[in-house]
Amino acid sequence: MIRYGYMLLALFILLVLPACASNYKEQKASNSTNKIKAPTSFEQLTFKSEGRTVFEDEGKFILIEGSKCVQHDSGEETATVLQWIELPSYVDRGTVVLNGWDLRFLHGDREVNSMLADITHSKVIKSEGSTFLVFEAQGRLNDQNRKDAYEFCVFYSGFGFRSVFFDATIEDDYNGVEVSTLQDKNQGALATLENTGSRGTLKGNATIAIIPRGFDFQFDDTFECEWRFPPCKWGDRVDYRLLQAAYSLSQSGMFPSLDGSPHWAVQTLFKDNSTRTYRIKARAAMIRGTSVKLRADFLALNSRTGKTDICRKNVDGIVRTQTFRIRDLPFDYAVPLLTGWDLSYECEQQQVQRAGIWLHDIHFDSNSRSLEYKVSSILRDKDGVPSFSVAQRITVLGLNQTRTSVQSNRAPVNIKIREH
């Protein structure tokens, strides 16, 4: 117990102190009656993650998945989730993937000003024979008034490995790499954010894989008139009904430029029936090396406009789940990454009660090198009419042992599945 006490103190210092000021505001707001009391950062760190071990090759590699939800009494503050996952002691490198999100207003539906799901920090900590993966996730759903209670759920996959068996280095893990832009409505609804890494990052046969960490969509402040007092205001926060929200991460790590610099891009859509000016941020981390492999898949985004003549008017509004299987992967170990999603109402713009998409129930069989997973999604207003359309893309991150490590380790693979 003493050891865990020191560990919690260390995690608190590393990840929590920068958020102290905002957490103090949250505590003040939540002290009033009939309001949701969001757990403090330290309170969250006192409980270990309930993540599930998907796959473990003991002594070499482990893959874990999990989720965590937190409620907030208003959209004025961003919801923060702090998680720590205990990893086997052999792990000396690891990271976390944003593999889904779920946002919902707790009381009815609203027009939308902003949507956020973002893993802002991640770190592997080793101390006194123990290893922990610690990360911070933030989420937000609000309208222009930012007074409505909401819930944010983050879905994640964490993996760790012993570096002696792999040529794989995780880059920009703690803060990730953030790209942002303002997409003017005159430029069209489809925004493109690009990042080019440092020259010489990729050498020889090395590959780089981009790990999705998050997005932040927000309609830009503008002039708006409504039935209120005062009716019009310059630079006011605005909200709109939602027609479509989409995200697609593409990467060309297998085909670097001549100077060895990797390139990746994110495309987004965030709109109602019309095209609006909106701000976008996206975050990612990277893993590179000759052990890193990719089975990339790209989602082409197409902007929808206005009302369609063909749409279902029946009540839907339920979580939709699909199961996917991939066989004969040329990888020793595989991690699925949710790199593309497109959520839209079937008919036309609607208010939002709940929106989300998440990857879960991962199963990897190292003998047949097959991967199975499920993807669930939801987009609805308060009555669930009309239904919604969804598309998604999964990129598979592969890790292969180096030839040297395979030749020096003749022992049979010891596969162990365990629950946290």
Side-chain angles (χ1 to χ4, degrees):
M1 292 300 294
I2 295 177
R3 185 185 70 180
Y4 282 108
Y6 284 120
M7 282 303 306
L8 289 173
L9 180 60
L11 302 183
F12 182 80
I13 293 172
L14 284 167
L15 284 178
V16 180
L17 287 183
C20 281
S22 62
N23 286 336
Y24 175 70
K25 293 178 182 178
E26 293 171 15
Q27 291 177 50
K28 285 184 67 179
S30 62
N31 284 336
S32 60
T33 59
N34 299 323
K35 288 193 175 184
I36 299 166
K37 186 179 186 303
T40 66
S41 299
F42 188 77
E43 287 173 340
Q44 292 189 52
L45 283 175
T46 58
F47 299 99
K48 186 171 67 173
S49 165
E50 297 179 356
R52 178 181 71 90
T53 298
V54 171
F55 171 88
E56 182 178 10
D57 184 357
E58 194 169 9
K60 298 179 182 178
F61 175 87
I62 188 170
L63 173 62
I64 295 171
E65 69 171 6
S67 63
K68 180 70 176 293
C69 298
V70 63
Q71 294 183 352
H72 241 282
D73 58 13
S74 78
E76 288 288 351
E77 298 289 344
T78 299
T80 300
V81 171
L82 282 168
Q83 287 284 82
W84 62 277
I85 306 167
E86 186 173 10
L87 298 176
S89 59
Y90 63 79
V91 172
D92 54 12
R93 290 180 184 171
T95 191
V96 65
V97 182
L98 178 67
N99 262 341
W101 52 276
D102 188 5
L103 291 163
R104 68 184 180 102
F105 286 116
L106 296 180
H107 309 295
D109 54 10
R110 301 287 186 273
E111 293 184 346
V112 173
N113 169 259
S114 67
M115 297 171 59
L116 163 70
D118 190 12
I119 294 180
T120 55
H121 300 295
S122 171
K123 189 174 183 64
V124 171
I125 300 173
K126 296 184 73 71
S127 176
E128 299 181 1
S130 297
T131 305
F132 298 87
L133 173 61
V134 190
F135 66 91
E136 177 188 84
Q138 294 186 346
R140 182 181 64 249
L141 176 66
N142 59 32
D143 63 0
Q144 66 180 186
N145 296 318
R146 301 184 181 180
K147 294 181 179 180
D148 296 291
Y150 69 97
E151 181 179 66
F152 164 58
C153 296
V154 59
F155 294 80
Y156 61 87
S157 298
F159 65 92
F161 55 91
R162 187 179 178 188
S163 59
V164 69
F165 292 105
F166 305 89
D167 175 24
T169 302
I170 299 169
E171 304 280 354
D172 300 302
D173 188 45
Y174 181 70
N175 291 316
V177 176
E178 184 181 282
V179 290
S180 61
T181 191
L182 175 68
Q183 182 70 8
D184 188 271
K185 63 181 180 181
N186 297 321
Q187 299 172 308
L190 182 64
T192 300
L193 301 84
E194 298 184 85
N195 179 271
T196 300
S198 301
R199 178 180 300 180
T201 299
L202 295 179
K203 298 178 181 179
N205 296 321
T207 297
I208 192 163
I210 309 303
I211 298 171
R213 283 285 178 82
F215 67 91
D216 186 359
F217 298 162
Q218 182 172 342
F219 287 119
D220 191 40
D221 298 341
T222 187
F223 176 76
E224 183 182 43
C225 281
E226 290 186 340
W227 289 104
R228 57 177 176 163
F229 182 81
C232 301
K233 183 179 179 182
W234 286 104
D236 197 14
R237 282 197 301 259
V238 294
D239 54 13
Y240 302 102
R241 296 188 177 194
L242 188 68
L243 173 66
Q244 184 179 18
Y247 165 101
S248 182
L249 167 67
S250 62
Q251 47 193 311
S252 55
M254 293 179 291
F255 307 101
S257 59
L258 294 177
D259 63 1
S261 58
H263 172 266
W264 55 276
V266 170
Q267 290 189 317
T268 64
L269 288 166
F270 188 52
K271 67 187 304 294
D272 62 354
N273 283 356
S274 303
T275 298
R276 308 288 184 179
T277 299
Y278 67 102
R279 299 180 182 275
I280 322 102
K281 292 181 182 179
R283 191 185 309 274
M286 293 168 278
I287 181 170
R288 63 175 174 85
T290 58
S291 292
V292 177
K293 309 298 177 183
L294 275 178
R295 185 183 185 274
D297 201 352
F298 173 69
L299 177 63
L301 301 183
N302 296 304
S303 173
R304 288 191 50 202
T305 56
K307 186 175 181 179
T308 59
D309 294 329
I310 302 174
C311 63
R312 293 180 294 175
K313 293 291 187 179
N314 60 303
V315 175
D316 191 325
I318 60 173
V319 173
R320 195 176 301 168
T321 300
Q322 299 172 279
T323 301
F324 300 87
R325 297 178 182 87
I326 304 174
R327 295 182 172 86
D328 300 321
L329 287 168
F331 311 140
D332 294 334
Y333 312 103
V335 181
L337 314 176
L338 180 60
T339 52
W341 49 266
D342 186 346
L343 293 167
S344 63
Y345 283 112
E346 281 194 345
C347 299
E348 60 176 334
Q349 63 187 15
Q350 302 288 331
Q351 295 192 153
V352 173
Q353 189 271 323
R354 185 180 179 187
I357 184 166
W358 57 96
L359 187 155
H360 58 103
D361 288 341
I362 304 168
H363 296 279
F364 176 67
D365 186 333
S366 62
N367 295 319
S368 63
R369 298 195 175 189
S370 62
L371 180 66
E372 180 179 304
Y373 55 87
K374 295 180 180 179
V375 177
S376 293
S377 57
I378 182 70
L379 177 63
R380 60 163 295 161
D381 63 0
K382 63 182 179 181
D383 62 5
V385 180
S387 184
F388 69 97
S389 300
V390 61
Q392 70 280 314
R393 291 294 184 272
I394 305 298
T395 292
V396 180
L397 164 63
L399 285 176
N400 286 344
Q401 297 183 59
T402 60
R403 291 184 179 181
T404 303
S405 66
V406 172
Q407 292 172 357
S408 63
N409 186 56
R410 301 286 183 178
V413 174
N414 181 16
I415 304 301
K416 182 168 68 175
I417 302 296
R418 62 183 187 180
E419 297 285 341
H420 281 281

mmCIF file of all heavy atoms in Angstrom, residues 101 110-112 115 141 217 219 239-246 269-273 343-345 348-352 354-355 379:
data_model
loop_
_atom_site.group_PDB
_atom_site.id
_atom_site.type_symbol
_atom_site.label_atom_id
_atom_site.label_comp_id
_atom_site.label_asym_id
_atom_site.label_seq_id
_atom_site.Cartn_x
_atom_site.Cartn_y
_atom_site.Cartn_z
ATOM 1 N N TRP A 101 -15.453 7.588 -28.732
ATOM 2 C CA TRP A 101 -15.987 8.625 -27.853
ATOM 3 C C TRP A 101 -17.506 8.553 -27.905
ATOM 4 O O TRP A 101 -18.105 8.041 -28.851
ATOM 5 C CB TRP A 101 -15.502 10.003 -28.317
ATOM 6 C CG TRP A 101 -15.773 10.248 -29.770
ATOM 7 C CD1 TRP A 101 -15.008 9.859 -30.830
ATOM 8 C CD2 TRP A 101 -16.915 10.903 -30.344
ATOM 9 N NE1 TRP A 101 -15.583 10.224 -32.022
ATOM 10 C CE2 TRP A 101 -16.760 10.861 -31.754
ATOM 11 C CE3 TRP A 101 -18.043 11.518 -29.804
ATOM 12 C CZ2 TRP A 101 -17.697 11.415 -32.618
ATOM 13 C CZ3 TRP A 101 -18.977 12.064 -30.673
ATOM 14 C CH2 TRP A 101 -18.803 12.014 -32.061
ATOM 15 N N ARG A 110 -30.164 19.557 -27.973
ATOM 16 C CA ARG A 110 -29.768 20.954 -28.139
ATOM 17 C C ARG A 110 -29.154 21.146 -29.524
ATOM 18 O O ARG A 110 -28.686 20.206 -30.162
ATOM 19 C CB ARG A 110 -28.719 21.365 -27.085
ATOM 20 C CG ARG A 110 -29.165 21.225 -25.640
ATOM 21 C CD ARG A 110 -30.170 22.292 -25.257
ATOM 22 N NE ARG A 110 -30.504 22.244 -23.844
ATOM 23 C CZ ARG A 110 -31.462 21.490 -23.323
ATOM 24 N NH1 ARG A 110 -32.187 20.707 -24.120
ATOM 25 N NH2 ARG A 110 -31.722 21.501 -22.023
ATOM 26 N N GLU A 111 -29.112 22.404 -29.959
ATOM 27 C CA GLU A 111 -28.210 22.749 -31.047
ATOM 28 C C GLU A 111 -26.783 22.673 -30.515
ATOM 29 O O GLU A 111 -26.559 22.647 -29.301
ATOM 30 C CB GLU A 111 -28.527 24.150 -31.575
ATOM 31 C CG GLU A 111 -29.887 24.235 -32.250
ATOM 32 C CD GLU A 111 -30.165 25.592 -32.856
ATOM 33 O OE1 GLU A 111 -29.422 26.548 -32.538
ATOM 34 O OE2 GLU A 111 -31.115 25.717 -33.643
ATOM 35 N N VAL A 112 -25.801 22.637 -31.409
ATOM 36 C CA VAL A 112 -24.423 22.356 -31.000
ATOM 37 C C VAL A 112 -23.513 23.529 -31.343
ATOM 38 O O VAL A 112 -23.581 24.081 -32.450
ATOM 39 C CB VAL A 112 -23.904 21.071 -31.682
ATOM 40 C CG1 VAL A 112 -22.418 20.878 -31.402
ATOM 41 C CG2 VAL A 112 -24.689 19.870 -31.195
ATOM 42 N N MET A 115 -17.843 20.213 -30.119
ATOM 43 C CA MET A 115 -17.682 18.804 -29.748
ATOM 44 C C MET A 115 -16.192 18.523 -29.633
ATOM 45 O O MET A 115 -15.410 18.895 -30.517
ATOM 46 C CB MET A 115 -18.310 17.875 -30.805
ATOM 47 C CG MET A 115 -19.814 18.032 -30.962
ATOM 48 S SD MET A 115 -20.468 17.114 -32.390
ATOM 49 C CE MET A 115 -19.984 15.438 -31.978
ATOM 50 N N LEU A 141 -19.331 18.768 -24.861
ATOM 51 C CA LEU A 141 -20.474 18.932 -25.757
ATOM 52 C C LEU A 141 -21.294 20.095 -25.226
ATOM 53 O O LEU A 141 -21.740 20.065 -24.072
ATOM 54 C CB LEU A 141 -21.315 17.644 -25.798
ATOM 55 C CG LEU A 141 -22.605 17.704 -26.629
ATOM 56 C CD1 LEU A 141 -22.284 17.883 -28.109
ATOM 57 C CD2 LEU A 141 -23.444 16.443 -26.411
ATOM 58 N N PHE A 217 -13.971 20.228 -32.551
ATOM 59 C CA PHE A 217 -14.748 20.973 -33.536
ATOM 60 C C PHE A 217 -15.489 22.101 -32.816
ATOM 61 O O PHE A 217 -16.101 21.875 -31.772
ATOM 62 C CB PHE A 217 -15.800 20.096 -34.221
ATOM 63 C CG PHE A 217 -15.250 18.932 -35.003
ATOM 64 C CD1 PHE A 217 -16.076 17.867 -35.346
ATOM 65 C CD2 PHE A 217 -13.932 18.890 -35.410
ATOM 66 C CE1 PHE A 217 -15.598 16.799 -36.076
ATOM 67 C CE2 PHE A 217 -13.435 17.823 -36.134
ATOM 68 C CZ PHE A 217 -14.277 16.772 -36.471
ATOM 69 N N PHE A 219 -17.934 25.686 -33.950
ATOM 70 C CA PHE A 219 -18.395 26.721 -34.881
ATOM 71 C C PHE A 219 -17.815 28.063 -34.460
ATOM 72 O O PHE A 219 -17.781 28.409 -33.273
ATOM 73 C CB PHE A 219 -19.918 26.774 -34.900
ATOM 74 C CG PHE A 219 -20.561 25.614 -35.619
ATOM 75 C CD1 PHE A 219 -21.417 24.757 -34.951
ATOM 76 C CD2 PHE A 219 -20.307 25.390 -36.962
ATOM 77 C CE1 PHE A 219 -22.018 23.692 -35.603
ATOM 78 C CE2 PHE A 219 -20.900 24.319 -37.628
ATOM 79 C CZ PHE A 219 -21.748 23.471 -36.951
ATOM 80 N N ASP A 239 -24.643 28.441 -32.233
ATOM 81 C CA ASP A 239 -24.879 27.007 -32.318
ATOM 82 C C ASP A 239 -25.838 26.736 -33.463
ATOM 83 O O ASP A 239 -26.597 27.611 -33.879
ATOM 84 C CB ASP A 239 -25.396 26.430 -30.999
ATOM 85 C CG ASP A 239 -26.626 27.156 -30.476
ATOM 86 O OD1 ASP A 239 -27.230 27.945 -31.231
ATOM 87 O OD2 ASP A 239 -26.979 26.947 -29.304
ATOM 88 N N TYR A 240 -25.763 25.531 -33.980
ATOM 89 C CA TYR A 240 -26.603 25.142 -35.102
ATOM 90 C C TYR A 240 -27.073 23.711 -34.895
ATOM 91 O O TYR A 240 -26.453 22.929 -34.154
ATOM 92 C CB TYR A 240 -25.830 25.217 -36.433
ATOM 93 C CG TYR A 240 -25.256 26.569 -36.734
ATOM 94 C CD1 TYR A 240 -23.906 26.836 -36.534
ATOM 95 C CD2 TYR A 240 -26.056 27.596 -37.229
ATOM 96 C CE1 TYR A 240 -23.361 28.079 -36.816
ATOM 97 C CE2 TYR A 240 -25.529 28.847 -37.510
ATOM 98 C CZ TYR A 240 -24.176 29.087 -37.303
ATOM 99 O OH TYR A 240 -23.646 30.320 -37.568
ATOM 100 N N ARG A 241 -28.135 23.375 -35.581
ATOM 101 C CA ARG A 241 -28.482 21.974 -35.672
ATOM 102 C C ARG A 241 -27.386 21.259 -36.461
ATOM 103 O O ARG A 241 -26.692 21.888 -37.262
ATOM 104 C CB ARG A 241 -29.841 21.803 -36.354
ATOM 105 C CG ARG A 241 -30.977 22.419 -35.544
ATOM 106 C CD ARG A 241 -32.325 22.080 -36.104
ATOM 107 N NE ARG A 241 -33.388 22.619 -35.259
ATOM 108 C CZ ARG A 241 -34.663 22.261 -35.352
ATOM 109 N NH1 ARG A 241 -35.030 21.356 -36.270
ATOM 110 N NH2 ARG A 241 -35.561 22.783 -34.552
ATOM 111 N N LEU A 242 -27.251 19.975 -36.238
ATOM 112 C CA LEU A 242 -26.164 19.228 -36.859
ATOM 113 C C LEU A 242 -26.699 18.357 -37.988
ATOM 114 O O LEU A 242 -27.744 17.710 -37.849
ATOM 115 C CB LEU A 242 -25.469 18.346 -35.818
ATOM 116 C CG LEU A 242 -24.186 17.645 -36.272
ATOM 117 C CD1 LEU A 242 -23.084 18.665 -36.519
ATOM 118 C CD2 LEU A 242 -23.734 16.623 -35.237
ATOM 119 N N LEU A 243 -25.996 18.354 -39.094
ATOM 120 C CA LEU A 243 -26.286 17.417 -40.172
ATOM 121 C C LEU A 243 -25.210 16.346 -40.248
ATOM 122 O O LEU A 243 -25.516 15.156 -40.361
ATOM 123 C CB LEU A 243 -26.371 18.142 -41.518
ATOM 124 C CG LEU A 243 -26.516 17.223 -42.742
ATOM 125 C CD1 LEU A 243 -27.853 16.494 -42.719
ATOM 126 C CD2 LEU A 243 -26.340 18.016 -44.040
ATOM 127 N N GLN A 244 -23.928 16.756 -40.124
ATOM 128 C CA GLN A 244 -22.829 15.826 -40.369
ATOM 129 C C GLN A 244 -21.604 16.219 -39.569
ATOM 130 O O GLN A 244 -21.246 17.394 -39.486
ATOM 131 C CB GLN A 244 -22.497 15.825 -41.866
ATOM 132 C CG GLN A 244 -21.433 14.841 -42.292
ATOM 133 C CD GLN A 244 -21.196 14.906 -43.805
ATOM 134 O OE1 GLN A 244 -21.568 15.877 -44.460
ATOM 135 N NE2 GLN A 244 -20.586 13.868 -44.353
ATOM 136 N N ALA A 245 -20.963 15.226 -38.955
ATOM 137 C CA ALA A 245 -19.661 15.391 -38.302
ATOM 138 C C ALA A 245 -18.801 14.210 -38.732
ATOM 139 O O ALA A 245 -19.235 13.057 -38.657
ATOM 140 C CB ALA A 245 -19.797 15.434 -36.790
ATOM 141 N N ALA A 246 -17.569 14.492 -39.194
ATOM 142 C CA ALA A 246 -16.740 13.426 -39.743
ATOM 143 C C ALA A 246 -15.261 13.736 -39.535
ATOM 144 O O ALA A 246 -14.857 14.899 -39.414
ATOM 145 C CB ALA A 246 -17.037 13.217 -41.226
ATOM 146 N N LEU A 269 -15.325 17.244 -41.337
ATOM 147 C CA LEU A 269 -16.575 17.917 -41.688
ATOM 148 C C LEU A 269 -17.340 18.206 -40.405
ATOM 149 O O LEU A 269 -17.386 17.360 -39.505
ATOM 150 C CB LEU A 269 -17.432 17.038 -42.603
ATOM 151 C CG LEU A 269 -16.960 16.849 -44.047
ATOM 152 C CD1 LEU A 269 -17.713 15.695 -44.698
ATOM 153 C CD2 LEU A 269 -17.162 18.131 -44.854
ATOM 154 N N PHE A 270 -17.932 19.392 -40.318
ATOM 155 C CA PHE A 270 -18.726 19.779 -39.156
ATOM 156 C C PHE A 270 -19.720 20.819 -39.640
ATOM 157 O O PHE A 270 -19.368 21.970 -39.878
ATOM 158 C CB PHE A 270 -17.824 20.335 -38.060
ATOM 159 C CG PHE A 270 -18.495 20.585 -36.738
ATOM 160 C CD1 PHE A 270 -19.243 19.585 -36.115
ATOM 161 C CD2 PHE A 270 -18.373 21.808 -36.094
ATOM 162 C CE1 PHE A 270 -19.856 19.802 -34.901
ATOM 163 C CE2 PHE A 270 -18.979 22.032 -34.859
ATOM 164 C CZ PHE A 270 -19.720 21.025 -34.270
ATOM 165 N N LYS A 271 -20.999 20.413 -39.833
ATOM 166 C CA LYS A 271 -21.907 21.301 -40.542
ATOM 167 C C LYS A 271 -23.364 21.000 -40.233
ATOM 168 O O LYS A 271 -23.713 19.914 -39.768
ATOM 169 C CB LYS A 271 -21.667 21.202 -42.050
ATOM 170 C CG LYS A 271 -22.030 19.845 -42.652
ATOM 171 C CD LYS A 271 -21.619 19.757 -44.118
ATOM 172 C CE LYS A 271 -22.203 20.841 -44.964
ATOM 173 N NZ LYS A 271 -23.692 20.732 -45.063
ATOM 174 N N ASP A 272 -24.207 21.977 -40.537
ATOM 175 C CA ASP A 272 -25.648 21.772 -40.601
ATOM 176 C C ASP A 272 -26.032 21.677 -42.072
ATOM 177 O O ASP A 272 -25.203 21.288 -42.903
ATOM 178 C CB ASP A 272 -26.389 22.890 -39.853
ATOM 179 C CG ASP A 272 -26.143 24.269 -40.461
ATOM 180 O OD1 ASP A 272 -25.302 24.370 -41.389
ATOM 181 O OD2 ASP A 272 -26.784 25.226 -40.030
ATOM 182 N N ASN A 273 -27.265 22.019 -42.432
ATOM 183 C CA ASN A 273 -27.639 21.960 -43.850
ATOM 184 C C ASN A 273 -26.793 22.885 -44.713
ATOM 185 O O ASN A 273 -26.586 22.627 -45.896
ATOM 186 C CB ASN A 273 -29.113 22.324 -44.028
ATOM 187 C CG ASN A 273 -30.045 21.181 -43.634
ATOM 188 O OD1 ASN A 273 -29.592 20.092 -43.304
ATOM 189 N ND2 ASN A 273 -31.346 21.436 -43.671
ATOM 190 N N LEU A 343 -20.529 10.493 -39.264
ATOM 191 C CA LEU A 343 -21.864 10.413 -38.685
ATOM 192 C C LEU A 343 -22.740 11.497 -39.291
ATOM 193 O O LEU A 343 -22.352 12.674 -39.308
ATOM 194 C CB LEU A 343 -21.814 10.601 -37.164
ATOM 195 C CG LEU A 343 -21.115 9.510 -36.343
ATOM 196 C CD1 LEU A 343 -20.873 9.995 -34.919
ATOM 197 C CD2 LEU A 343 -21.935 8.236 -36.333
ATOM 198 N N SER A 344 -23.931 11.120 -39.769
ATOM 199 C CA SER A 344 -24.830 12.122 -40.340
ATOM 200 C C SER A 344 -26.272 11.678 -40.177
ATOM 201 O O SER A 344 -26.572 10.476 -40.185
ATOM 202 C CB SER A 344 -24.521 12.358 -41.826
ATOM 203 O OG SER A 344 -24.738 11.185 -42.585
ATOM 204 N N TYR A 345 -27.157 12.654 -40.022
ATOM 205 C CA TYR A 345 -28.586 12.359 -40.021
ATOM 206 C C TYR A 345 -29.020 12.014 -41.449
ATOM 207 O O TYR A 345 -28.519 12.582 -42.424
ATOM 208 C CB TYR A 345 -29.378 13.558 -39.511
ATOM 209 C CG TYR A 345 -29.328 13.733 -38.012
ATOM 210 C CD1 TYR A 345 -28.656 14.814 -37.444
ATOM 211 C CD2 TYR A 345 -29.938 12.821 -37.161
ATOM 212 C CE1 TYR A 345 -28.614 14.992 -36.065
ATOM 213 C CE2 TYR A 345 -29.904 12.992 -35.779
ATOM 214 C CZ TYR A 345 -29.235 14.068 -35.244
ATOM 215 O OH TYR A 345 -29.190 14.231 -33.880
ATOM 216 N N GLU A 348 -32.094 15.419 -42.787
ATOM 217 C CA GLU A 348 -31.604 16.790 -42.756
ATOM 218 C C GLU A 348 -31.094 17.094 -41.354
ATOM 219 O O GLU A 348 -31.051 16.229 -40.483
ATOM 220 C CB GLU A 348 -32.713 17.766 -43.150
ATOM 221 C CG GLU A 348 -33.923 17.716 -42.221
ATOM 222 C CD GLU A 348 -34.967 18.760 -42.574
ATOM 223 O OE1 GLU A 348 -34.588 19.793 -43.155
ATOM 224 O OE2 GLU A 348 -36.150 18.545 -42.263
ATOM 225 N N GLN A 349 -30.706 18.314 -41.115
ATOM 226 C CA GLN A 349 -30.163 18.732 -39.827
ATOM 227 C C GLN A 349 -31.168 18.496 -38.701
ATOM 228 O O GLN A 349 -32.372 18.617 -38.872
ATOM 229 C CB GLN A 349 -29.790 20.204 -39.892
ATOM 230 C CG GLN A 349 -30.988 21.113 -40.144
ATOM 231 C CD GLN A 349 -30.604 22.555 -40.366
ATOM 232 O OE1 GLN A 349 -29.452 22.859 -40.606
ATOM 233 N NE2 GLN A 349 -31.577 23.462 -40.272
ATOM 234 N N GLN A 350 -30.619 18.155 -37.513
ATOM 235 C CA GLN A 350 -31.437 17.935 -36.319
ATOM 236 C C GLN A 350 -30.670 18.447 -35.106
ATOM 237 O O GLN A 350 -29.446 18.629 -35.150
ATOM 238 C CB GLN A 350 -31.729 16.435 -36.123
ATOM 239 C CG GLN A 350 -32.419 15.758 -37.275
ATOM 240 C CD GLN A 350 -33.860 16.161 -37.428
ATOM 241 O OE1 GLN A 350 -34.523 16.508 -36.451
ATOM 242 N NE2 GLN A 350 -34.363 16.124 -38.645
ATOM 243 N N GLN A 351 -31.389 18.654 -34.017
ATOM 244 C CA GLN A 351 -30.710 18.887 -32.744
ATOM 245 C C GLN A 351 -30.054 17.583 -32.298
ATOM 246 O O GLN A 351 -30.361 16.508 -32.813
ATOM 247 C CB GLN A 351 -31.695 19.412 -31.700
ATOM 248 C CG GLN A 351 -32.249 20.781 -32.057
ATOM 249 C CD GLN A 351 -32.982 21.446 -30.920
ATOM 250 O OE1 GLN A 351 -33.048 22.661 -30.846
ATOM 251 N NE2 GLN A 351 -33.570 20.677 -30.023
ATOM 252 N N VAL A 352 -29.150 17.686 -31.339
ATOM 253 C CA VAL A 352 -28.375 16.525 -30.900
ATOM 254 C C VAL A 352 -28.677 16.212 -29.447
ATOM 255 O O VAL A 352 -28.655 17.101 -28.593
ATOM 256 C CB VAL A 352 -26.859 16.771 -31.073
ATOM 257 C CG1 VAL A 352 -26.061 15.630 -30.458
ATOM 258 C CG2 VAL A 352 -26.518 16.928 -32.537
ATOM 259 N N ARG A 354 -27.423 12.823 -28.478
ATOM 260 C CA ARG A 354 -26.285 11.927 -28.254
ATOM 261 C C ARG A 354 -25.564 11.675 -29.576
ATOM 262 O O ARG A 354 -26.197 11.518 -30.607
ATOM 263 C CB ARG A 354 -26.761 10.606 -27.663
ATOM 264 C CG ARG A 354 -25.642 9.640 -27.280
ATOM 265 C CD ARG A 354 -26.212 8.353 -26.709
ATOM 266 N NE ARG A 354 -25.169 7.403 -26.356
ATOM 267 C CZ ARG A 354 -25.377 6.142 -25.963
ATOM 268 N NH1 ARG A 354 -26.620 5.681 -25.868
ATOM 269 N NH2 ARG A 354 -24.373 5.349 -25.671
ATOM 270 N N ALA A 355 -24.229 11.640 -29.515
ATOM 271 C CA ALA A 355 -23.416 11.348 -30.688
ATOM 272 C C ALA A 355 -22.163 10.609 -30.246
ATOM 273 O O ALA A 355 -21.561 10.957 -29.226
ATOM 274 C CB ALA A 355 -23.039 12.629 -31.430
ATOM 275 N N LEU A 379 -26.183 8.490 -33.338
ATOM 276 C CA LEU A 379 -26.436 9.905 -33.564
ATOM 277 C C LEU A 379 -27.947 10.075 -33.495
ATOM 278 O O LEU A 379 -28.673 9.483 -34.296
ATOM 279 C CB LEU A 379 -25.899 10.366 -34.923
ATOM 280 C CG LEU A 379 -26.177 11.831 -35.277
ATOM 281 C CD1 LEU A 379 -25.487 12.777 -34.293
ATOM 282 C CD2 LEU A 379 -25.742 12.149 -36.708
#
